[in-house]
Amino acid sequence: MKSFEILRPVGRLEQYSTSRHQVGFYLNVAVSATYYLPDSFVFPVKDYVYQACEAAILEHPSLSAIVADDHTQDPYFVRLPDINLDQVVSFQDRKPGLLAAETDGEPAPDLDLQTLLATQHNTPFRAPNPFWRVCILLNIEDERQFTAAFVYHHAIGDGTSGKAFHQTFLRALGAAESPDQTKSIIKSPGLPLLPNIELVHPMSLSLPYLAKKIFQAKIYSRRPTGLWTGSKVLIPSQTRLRLVPFSKLLVTTVRDRCRVEGTTITALLQTIVARSIFAHIPPEFTLLACTGALSSRRWLPDVITDESMGVWVQDYEETYSRATVAPSDGSFPWEEARRSRKTIQSVLKMEGKNASTSLLQFVDDFQEELCLSKVGKDREKTFEVSNVGVLDPQLNSGLPSIKGMVFSQCASVMGNAIEVSAVTGGDGCLVLAVSWQQGVVEADLVNEVIESTKQELYSIDGV
């Protein structure tokens, strides 16, 4: 690695992920997409996939970047001289008949993809190999249809970056040439890495906010009474995963109802997941702590867009009480969904000011302070809802298209007990990827929460 070109130091937000990965506390994130090729694509799928991967490598410098010295407090990015696609791209056939279309109007979960992602989310990256993989699921009943799971280190990309990769991949498929242009060894481009968030945003902290956080961290922080957060922080980590799809018809109905009620799908999902957890945990637990993720790109310089790959994200916090989210009369608490939306709006208006990610500048030892010191202690958060939005549908039938998409994450050892990752694909279907750490939450509880979440969504009637 010493002979590789040095790109730049790892930023603090990026280091949050390099340190978590280095100690095995958080391994990767993935965005998967199911592609449909028109009949004019007559060559083997591998040829088209390799050409699309080459285009992505040449466009996104983070794909040829890996981290050196991630065990220290001064990691830095270096550039791989080239990438061997035979090492980062894998192919496997789907099991015949497993990709069911719908049952009783409900889309069936993609069990092949669920199995693949569960394995991938438990597989770390090892330098000097690239910090990403593309796993292709081939449909042997239809050679023009395949699913590409893009699995990557969180230090080289956030959730939106996974969508950006697939948008590049899709464009490249549309411009694919005959197979004699296909090659396995791709020389890395000489492009500079895009700047980390600390270089392009002030990330300011107000004195009251900073004083409060220092007091909580150094002097006293009382755990709220009645808070449920699963088990204490434990290692080692084993990610469990379930994919939960919803039809375009249902998504349209829910979105329309949200507009009438003055809220959003993300805020609604937070409220519903909270209700669903309360329904299946003992009544003495009366409080849940939720975190959400939102993209910082909207207030960054034009050099960073939704088409860029990198880490420009922050989180926000919300709490839910049993009394307001699960009222005794059984009615749905739309006021809570509106409150959740207002929380998100208030964070957006701050444009990155007083973001918890800005506090990373005060961390001296990322591995010890943020990860290892928390083992055996109470978990702070209950669940996360991270929604990377909608992929615009492709309207040209003569070009390749993306239908279904899945956004998923590995379990976070010191993070939320339950993670819910959401994306809506080009087919208009919403998929929730629910992940958790084995031993932190019982699988039966997660399955009950999922079933309650589905019932809640299906019970929301249009207006």
Side-chain angles (χ1 to χ4, degrees):
M1 299 237 292
K2 297 295 183 185
S3 62
F4 294 163
E5 176 191 356
I6 296 176
L7 294 171
R8 64 165 172 79
V10 171
R12 291 191 299 273
L13 180 55
E14 296 163 339
Q15 190 174 355
Y16 177 56
S17 287
T18 63
S19 59
R20 288 188 298 167
H21 182 279
Q22 195 264 326
V23 295
F25 276 44
Y26 186 101
L27 299 183
N28 53 45
V29 58
V31 176
S32 309
T34 297
Y35 289 83
Y36 290 77
L37 303 179
D39 293 339
S40 58
F41 281 60
V42 295
F43 297 108
V45 166
K46 179 179 178 179
D47 294 325
Y48 298 118
V49 167
Y50 272 36
Q51 288 188 42
C53 284
E54 178 182 8
I57 291 167
L58 297 179
E59 181 173 330
H60 301 292
S62 60
L63 292 177
S64 49
I66 61 171
V67 178
D69 286 354
D70 63 350
H71 62 290
T72 73
Q73 299 311 306
D74 298 295
Y76 55 95
F77 286 109
V78 298
R79 192 188 329 267
L80 295 171
D82 54 52
I83 292 176
N84 185 345
L85 295 180
D86 291 336
Q87 294 178 350
V88 296
V89 183
S90 61
F91 296 84
Q92 68 182 69
D93 291 336
R94 287 185 174 278
K95 294 174 183 174
L98 198 56
L99 188 62
E102 292 190 358
T103 53
D104 299 327
E106 291 185 37
D110 186 338
L111 298 181
D112 279 325
L113 182 59
Q114 180 175 290
T115 300
L116 183 149
L117 289 172
T119 299
Q120 290 298 317
H121 283 313
N122 286 300
T123 306
F125 297 98
R126 296 280 182 249
N129 297 318
F131 277 17
W132 58 278
R133 302 182 283 267
V134 171
C135 308
I136 304 292
L137 281 173
L138 297 169
N139 186 346
I140 58 176
E141 297 168 0
D142 181 358
E143 294 181 353
R144 304 274 70 79
Q145 177 188 335
F146 65 90
T147 300
F150 173 56
V151 186
Y152 53 105
H153 195 304
H154 209 340
I156 67 166
D158 50 23
T160 302
S161 297
K163 278 175 65 183
F165 173 89
H166 282 289
Q167 286 163 329
T168 303
F169 197 94
L170 181 64
R171 284 196 306 271
L173 284 176
E177 300 173 351
S178 60
D180 61 340
Q181 303 296 317
T182 305
K183 53 182 183 283
S184 299
I185 308 296
I186 311 301
K187 187 175 177 3
S188 298
L191 300 171
L193 265 189
L194 288 170
N196 51 281
I197 193 169
E198 297 88 0
L199 289 176
V200 293
H201 191 275
M203 301 185 74
S204 57
L205 296 165
S206 68
L207 283 176
Y209 176 84
L210 185 56
K212 175 185 175 184
K213 291 299 181 182
I214 291 175
F215 181 84
Q216 291 174 336
K218 304 294 186 183
I219 301 173
Y220 180 68
S221 179
R222 184 178 67 86
R223 181 178 173 85
T225 303
L227 175 64
W228 182 87
T229 56
S231 80
K232 294 182 185 295
V233 176
L234 58 87
I235 52 175
S237 179
Q238 179 77 13
T239 292
R240 301 285 302 276
L241 177 77
R242 268 196 65 186
L243 302 183
V244 190
F246 297 93
S247 69
K248 179 180 179 179
L249 177 61
L250 177 74
V251 173
T252 302
T253 299
V254 171
R255 184 179 292 118
D256 290 345
R257 182 66 185 273
C258 283
R259 286 173 180 153
V260 170
E261 297 289 350
T263 188
T264 62
I265 284 185
T266 300
L268 176 68
L269 283 173
Q270 290 178 194
T271 307
I272 285 178
V273 172
R275 275 171 63 83
S276 300
I277 293 174
F278 275 130
H280 300 289
I281 59 175
E284 61 263 28
F285 292 108
T286 56
L287 198 65
L288 302 177
C290 167
T291 60
L294 54 84
S295 175
S296 305
R297 297 167 192 238
R298 66 200 82 197
W299 51 75
L300 298 182
D302 290 343
V303 67
I304 296 166
T305 71
D306 282 352
E307 298 283 320
S308 305
M309 283 195 64
V311 186
W312 306 285
V313 70
Q314 71 172 74
D315 60 11
Y316 61 90
E317 299 179 358
E318 186 63 277
T319 57
Y320 294 96
S321 69
R322 185 185 289 272
T324 52
V325 175
S328 56
D329 64 1
S331 62
F332 189 83
W334 283 105
E335 189 57 43
E336 283 293 283
R338 284 188 284 271
R339 181 179 68 87
S340 300
R341 183 198 182 194
K342 289 176 183 174
T343 297
I344 297 170
Q345 288 177 320
S346 65
V347 174
L348 289 172
K349 286 178 182 175
M350 297 286 282
E351 295 193 348
K353 183 179 180 180
N354 287 351
S356 62
T357 48
S358 303
L359 298 170
L360 293 171
Q361 62 185 294
F362 302 109
V363 176
D364 294 321
D365 187 324
F366 277 70
Q367 287 88 337
E368 180 60 33
E369 293 177 41
L370 301 181
C371 302
L372 301 173
S373 65
K374 299 185 182 300
V375 175
K377 297 181 179 178
D378 285 329
R379 191 175 306 277
E380 296 177 0
K381 305 298 179 187
T382 309
F383 71 97
E384 172 187 343
V385 173
S386 183
N387 185 358
V388 294
V390 181
L391 183 83
D392 293 331
Q394 291 77 47
L395 303 176
N396 189 333
S397 60
L399 291 174
S401 63
I402 290 175
K403 302 298 186 192
M405 291 196 85
V406 172
F407 167 46
S408 58
Q409 302 180 65
C410 68
S412 177
V413 168
M414 74 290 188
N416 294 273
I418 300 173
E419 295 186 7
V420 181
S421 306
V423 66
T424 302
D427 57 357
C429 295
L430 168 72
V431 177
L432 304 181
V434 182
S435 51
W436 69 98
Q437 183 184 345
Q438 186 167 318
V440 167
V441 188
E442 293 299 325
D444 287 348
L445 173 60
V446 176
N447 290 332
E448 289 170 343
V449 169
I450 288 172
E451 291 309 308
S452 292
T453 298
K454 289 167 65 175
Q455 290 171 14
E456 292 272 10
L457 280 168
Y458 282 114
S459 68
I460 293 175
D461 297 321
V463 175

